[in-house]
Amino acid sequence: METYRLLKIKLTPQRLAILNYLNGNKSHPSAETIYKAVSQQFPTMSFATVYNTLETLLNKGSIRELKIEAGKKRYDYDIKPHHHIICIECNKIVDLYKDYKIPLPEEITQEFELINKNIEFYGTCQNCKKNN
Amino acid sequence: METYRLLKIKLTPQRLAILNYLNGNKSHPSAETIYKAVSQQFPTMSFATVYNTLETLLNKGSIRELKIEAGKKRYDYDIKPHHHIICIECNKIVDLYKDYKIPLPEEITQEFELINKNIEFYGTCQNCKKNN
DNA sequence: CTATCTGCAAACGTTTTGCATCTGT
DNA sequence: ACAGATGCAAAACGTTTGCAGATAG
């Protein structure tokens, strides 16, 4: 609650519901998932409010927009730099907090100044390996 | 043309136009970009045909679906494993053919069997650095 | 000849927008 | 009090689908 105040945005009940849903959430939800979850407590919640809030949080740099699902945006309230490993069978996603130093070839460093990187690992999780 | 035959799909003029557009293309186009390009030579081309052809090629494993743009699918006819570096200013994308060995922590290797990985590097390109 | 593809149009899923009303600060 | 948020509905995108007619092999 105190940390929410640091966002310097109007803390409406709807926004608090969204923030509380996202806080500590490791599911990397889409806008629709968020909408469905917060609608339970807030029957009048609209998509516009969800998208508007996500947009505001994005601009504040307090959430990350993920591209782990083609054609659909997903969100992560955890902005600590991290990568993801995704099960190609069940789509389970696990966070990986590790800062890798990856050397770029000279052709690239000549052309680009590196700022950031994002790694997606793909594999099969224990559960799915078992069920094969 | 001979390599197209290896796909074992019906080589209609529309599909050939799409394949020719994609072949050697380094722009990682979206369906719409492809549609616009091939419509020039093929005024009756429809989106259905573009999507249908992309779907067919995906199933054959001859193209890759990219998630470099949130909320929109993009495609790459180049299936040689590679990563991308993207300019955060102008969105220029450059391919990076390098196979990195990235060690995963034990918590992860216990839970996942690694199959593949994909790295997106972000930075600013020469051009955009200059214009700042 | 026939299994498959094309093109149209309609439907679908996701995201954005306009606007009148409401509310946190 | 008022800048800015909400909720509704419509629109704007991107993608998928059904189907009648066309065509590659």
Side-chain angles (χ1 to χ4, degrees):
Chain A
M1 189 63 176
E2 286 316 305
T3 55
Y4 295 161
R5 241 179 261 292
L6 299 175
L7 295 170
K8 311 227 168 174
I9 60 171
K10 274 197 192 175
L11 291 179
T12 65
Q14 293 87 338
R15 285 179 168 185
L16 282 172
I18 293 171
L19 283 164
N20 283 328
Y21 175 73
L22 290 177
N23 193 7
N25 189 317
K26 295 280 177 198
S27 75
H28 313 85
S30 66
E32 190 180 16
T33 309
I34 298 167
Y35 169 73
K36 279 186 181 156
V38 292
S39 303
Q40 313 255 120
Q41 325 147 38
F42 251 95
T44 65
M45 172 75 60
S46 77
F47 265 107
T49 299
V50 172
Y51 278 110
N52 157 40
T53 300
L54 290 171
E55 183 64 21
T56 302
L57 294 174
L58 261 183
N59 287 135
K60 293 280 170 186
S62 337
I63 57 172
R64 224 175 103 187
E65 192 177 79
L66 303 180
K67 296 177 288 190
I68 42 185
E69 190 173 348
K72 197 177 197 169
K73 295 178 181 176
R74 295 181 60 170
Y75 299 90
D76 200 342
Y77 185 60
D78 183 356
I79 53 166
K80 244 177 71 191
H82 64 278
H83 307 293
H84 296 110
I85 179 157
I86 303 163
C87 176
I88 58 173
E89 303 268 344
C90 69
N91 296 311
K92 177 181 180 179
I93 303 168
V94 172
D95 294 327
L96 168 46
Y97 298 89
K98 192 150 186 230
D99 183 21
Y100 292 105
K101 305 292 180 199
I102 302 177
L104 290 171
E106 212 185 302
E107 318 93 81
I108 300 285
T109 54
Q110 269 167 15
E111 174 68 24
F112 283 90
E113 183 175 341
L114 185 66
I115 292 175
N116 205 350
K117 73 181 103 48
N118 187 257
I119 315 177
E120 269 161 39
F121 297 91
Y122 295 94
T124 40
C125 72
Q126 278 302 343
N127 237 351
C128 292
K129 241 185 293 179
K130 230 185 319 185
N131 302 341
N132 280 351
Chain B
M1 190 62 177
E2 286 315 306
T3 55
Y4 295 162
R5 240 178 264 291
L6 299 175
L7 295 171
K8 309 228 169 176
I9 59 172
K10 275 198 192 175
L11 290 178
T12 65
Q14 292 88 338
R15 287 179 167 183
L16 282 172
I18 293 170
L19 283 163
N20 283 329
Y21 175 73
L22 291 177
N23 192 7
N25 188 318
K26 295 280 178 199
S27 75
H28 314 83
S30 66
E32 189 178 17
T33 309
I34 298 168
Y35 169 74
K36 279 185 179 155
V38 293
S39 302
Q40 314 255 121
Q41 324 149 36
F42 252 96
T44 65
M45 173 76 58
S46 77
F47 264 106
T49 298
V50 172
Y51 279 109
N52 157 39
T53 301
L54 291 171
E55 182 64 20
T56 303
L57 294 174
L58 262 182
N59 288 141
K60 292 279 170 186
S62 338
I63 57 173
R64 223 175 104 186
E65 192 176 81
L66 303 180
K67 296 179 288 190
I68 42 185
E69 191 174 347
K72 198 176 195 170
K73 295 177 181 178
R74 295 182 59 170
Y75 299 90
D76 199 343
Y77 185 60
D78 183 356
I79 52 166
K80 245 178 70 190
H82 64 279
H83 307 293
H84 296 110
I85 180 158
I86 304 163
C87 177
I88 59 173
E89 304 268 344
C90 68
N91 296 312
K92 178 181 179 180
I93 302 168
V94 172
D95 294 326
L96 169 45
Y97 298 89
K98 193 152 185 228
D99 182 23
Y100 292 105
K101 304 294 178 196
I102 302 176
L104 290 171
E106 212 185 301
E107 319 92 83
I108 299 286
T109 53
Q110 268 167 14
E111 173 69 23
F112 281 90
E113 182 174 341
L114 184 67
I115 292 175
N116 206 348
K117 73 180 101 49
N118 188 256
I119 315 177
E120 269 161 39
F121 297 92
Y122 295 94
T124 40
C125 72
Q126 279 301 344
N127 237 350
C128 292
K129 242 184 296 179
K130 230 183 322 184
N131 302 341
N132 282 351

